Amino acid sequence: MNAGCPVFSMRPYVLVNCAMSADGKLSTVERRQVKISGKNDFLRVDRIKAESDAIMVGIGTVLADNPSLTVKSDELKETRRAGGRDENPVRIVVDSSARIPPNADILHKGRGQRIIAVSARAPPEKVRELEFVADIIRAGEQEVDLGVLMERLHAKGIRTLMVEGGGTLIGSLFAEGLVDEFCTFVGNRVIGGRDAPTPADGAGFIAEEEFPRLTLTSAEPLDEGILLRWKVDRSS
Ligand SMILES: NC(=O)c1ccc[n+]([C@@H]2O[C@H](COP(=O)([O-])OP(=O)(O)OC[C@H]3O[C@@H](n4cnc5c(N)ncnc54)[C@H](OP(=O)(O)O)[C@@H]3O)[C@@H](O)[C@H]2O)c1
């Protein structure tokens, strides 16, 4: 793990954004999506999405929530078009074995490019089917090699990447030292449950020197909660 180390390879700037309950949960123990934030946070997230070159989620989030990840505001879509861009950022799913359902909203709703990142274990016939609706990036043997994926995305011209979850993907990105900024909206609900997803799931860090260190850049009340913005320290 190289969390906190300087990044030498060419990769996009990575902003991770999520909403969690007051007790630090992303959703319920049943992994059911729940409303955590309010209207102002929704507008903030839509704005970041519209400003990003690409937006990424893990396959766990696609299977649980079926998000389309489109820009919702007509005005923001128009601004993107006026700038010569697609109305939606490039939508990316990290999906080692190409489990994404062919009818997933992210593959069909809204205009714009899609990328499915798979590993060597993705069945070739499933990948061939997906090639009709998305570009495929192969990286890694078992799970997707996120470092290699980032380099490929950079080579495709992606300079700013928003990551919308879930906890397993975010945990891996931190472990690989691939996060630059971490924004969490903390809402006024307690969801509870030992096994409910949290913002950095996966194996976790054991040694204290491996813990990614953050610097708080702002904390502002928003809706009925608080928005925390952190930069990931690269100096330690
Ligand atoms: N509140 C929020 O802001 C928010 C946002 C998003 C999601 N969520 C919630 O989060 C939950 C889903 O999160 P999740 O943790 O189950 O799934 P996830 O992080 O969306 O996706 C994880 C999956 O991605 C695949 N993957 C491939 N390569 C990987 C790598 N190098 N590192 C990590 N993952 C890799 C793995 O599946 P394969 O092995 O099959 O490839 C892995 O199981 C849902 O309950 C959803 O509602 C909440």
Side-chain angles (χ1 to χ4, degrees):
M1 289 183 196
N2 62 350
C5 292
V7 176
F8 295 108
S9 57
M10 300 285 270
R11 64 163 178 84
Y13 182 88
V14 175
L15 182 152
V16 170
N17 183 80
C18 64
M20 64 184 183
S21 58
D23 59 322
K25 306 296 183 185
L26 295 181
S27 63
T28 68
V29 286
E30 297 167 318
R31 305 186 105 68
R32 185 170 43 83
Q33 187 179 30
V34 281
K35 189 171 177 297
I36 294 173
S37 60
K39 189 172 158 236
N40 291 312
D41 191 56
F42 177 87
L43 295 173
R44 178 191 68 85
V45 171
D46 205 35
R47 218 165 28 245
I48 305 176
K49 204 186 294 170
E51 287 166 0
S52 301
D53 293 331
I55 179 164
M56 175 187 283
V57 288
I59 182 64
T61 297
V62 172
L63 296 174
D65 303 348
N66 192 22
S68 67
L69 302 181
T70 51
V71 173
K72 302 297 183 289
S73 147
D74 288 338
E75 202 182 320
L76 291 172
K77 282 194 263 197
E78 180 49 40
T79 306
R80 283 186 62 95
R81 280 194 299 265
R85 307 203 282 176
D86 282 328
E87 64 185 32
N88 294 300
V90 178
R91 287 168 283 167
I92 303 165
V93 182
V94 176
D95 182 12
S96 314
S97 47
R99 288 192 289 151
I100 188 166
N103 62 350
D105 280 355
I106 197 167
L107 297 176
H108 302 286
K109 284 202 173 160
R111 292 164 191 266
Q113 197 190 342
R114 284 92 168 164
I115 294 174
I116 311 295
V118 300
S119 72
R121 72 184 162 100
E125 64 282 3
K126 187 73 201 288
V127 172
R128 272 196 297 277
E129 269 172 42
L130 286 174
E131 277 171 340
F132 286 104
V133 286
D135 289 344
I136 305 295
I137 292 182
R138 293 177 179 78
E141 289 301 313
Q142 291 301 314
E143 53 180 18
V144 173
D145 184 324
L146 297 173
V148 170
L149 172 60
M150 290 295 172
E151 286 175 20
R152 304 258 174 87
L153 295 178
H154 189 272
K156 282 179 174 283
I158 293 171
R159 298 290 180 269
T160 51
L161 173 66
M162 176 185 192
V163 177
E164 273 258 294
T168 309
L169 176 63
I170 298 172
S172 292
L173 289 168
F174 271 120
E176 299 287 327
L178 295 171
V179 181
D180 297 293
E181 201 175 338
F182 185 45
C183 285
T184 49
F185 175 83
V186 185
N188 66 339
R189 308 267 201 289
V190 173
I191 295 178
R194 191 188 300 125
D195 297 326
T198 69
D201 286 335
F205 302 98
I206 309 295
E208 280 190 42
E209 59 275 15
E210 287 186 341
F211 297 172
R213 298 292 167 93
L214 313 176
T215 298
L216 187 66
T217 56
S218 72
E220 58 179 273
L222 187 68
D223 296 322
E224 293 179 290
I226 186 163
L227 176 67
L228 302 172
R229 287 179 218 254
W230 306 88
K231 286 265 187 206
V232 178
D233 294 348
R234 298 276 167 221
S235 52
S236 52

